[in-house]
Amino acid sequence: MSVPSAAYPRVVLFDLLTALLDSWTVWNAAAGSEARGRAWRAEYLRLTYGCGAYQPYEQLVQAAAEAVGLPASAPAALEAGWDGLPAWDGARDLLQALRPHCRLGVVTNCSRRLGHRAAALLGVDWDVVVTSEEAGYYKPDPRPYQLALARLETPASQAAFVAGSGYDLFGTSQVGLRTYWHNRVGLALPAGAPAPEAQSPRLEAALPWLAGFGVAAR
């Protein structure tokens, strides 16, 4: 039985660099190994979650590299690989399947310059792209999500979010965004984070969840 378009949310917002794009691979390559890449990224995340108002993304990436003992060349190597960020398998198929039914947007922890470059890699005519630089705060502060919804003139009750990090759940729960967690690498839910409405290591499972969005809310 086909599901009417009315069952979909009006808007689907996505985390970009973890939910749709495999930025793990590019960070690891720039660091020289998976272990060093993960340590670098963990330190970067610690800095973003603790900095409050927006501080330049590129500066935080550099500070994190220094803190974990990476060479000064690592941040430049990360940016050199930026336009080669690979999409997770299933990402483009999901976006194409949703396009007839929903408006699509990105909310990403990044500078405006790098965020819009990364969003363009997916070949989607996005309805909105919000970076932390534009919002003035890093996720999971609620303001980046709220800015995207305001630009689309859509209440949170009529939108869904596809997260790549469990930390997004702190922010989406404050805003009232029902959330699917694309937990690709099997991370544990952060301490104190609300549970997602659905989660899977695959993006394909997001489509039936989104297709039944309005039905589940009744």
Side-chain angles (χ1 to χ4, degrees):
M1 182 177 69
S2 62
V3 179
S5 292
Y8 287 84
R10 284 178 55 193
V11 166
V12 183
L13 300 174
F14 292 86
D15 169 75
L16 176 63
L17 297 174
T18 310
L20 293 175
L21 297 174
D22 176 14
S23 57
W24 295 95
T25 297
V26 177
W27 279 74
N28 294 346
S33 73
E34 181 177 354
R36 294 166 72 187
R38 289 204 175 211
W40 180 18
R41 189 160 181 166
E43 176 61 16
Y44 152 77
L45 290 173
R46 188 189 70 79
L47 293 175
T48 59
Y49 295 144
C51 72
Y54 180 81
Q55 295 180 25
Y57 173 82
E58 292 84 351
Q59 290 182 19
L60 294 182
V61 169
Q62 182 176 353
E66 293 172 356
V68 299
L70 290 179
S73 59
L78 177 64
E79 183 160 345
W82 199 259
D83 292 327
L85 285 164
W88 291 118
D89 56 289
R92 291 187 177 91
D93 290 343
L94 175 62
L95 294 169
Q96 290 171 5
L98 292 173
R99 180 80 274 183
H101 307 286
C102 314
R103 300 176 79 189
L104 303 175
V106 158
V107 185
T108 183
N109 273 356
C110 203
S111 64
R112 186 186 190 285
R113 178 178 66 90
L114 293 178
H116 285 259
R117 274 171 57 186
L121 297 174
L122 287 150
V124 173
D125 184 15
W126 297 105
D127 295 292
V128 70
V129 174
V130 168
T131 65
S132 293
E133 181 176 8
E134 293 161 287
Y137 288 83
Y138 283 99
K139 300 182 299 176
D141 187 282
R143 279 165 274 207
Y145 314 96
Q146 290 168 337
L147 178 58
L149 292 170
R151 288 183 175 176
L152 295 173
E153 300 180 335
T154 301
S157 62
Q158 296 178 25
F161 191 82
V162 177
S165 165
Y167 287 95
D168 265 310
L169 293 155
F170 289 107
T172 58
S173 65
Q174 289 186 60
V175 175
L177 280 167
R178 292 165 58 189
T179 302
Y180 175 97
W181 183 14
H182 175 213
N183 188 6
R184 190 74 179 207
V185 296
L187 299 175
L189 186 69
E197 187 165 312
Q199 72 167 300
S200 171
R202 309 291 299 178
L203 273 169
E204 294 90 329
L207 185 58
W209 178 73
L210 290 163
F213 185 88
V215 175
R218 290 172 193 159

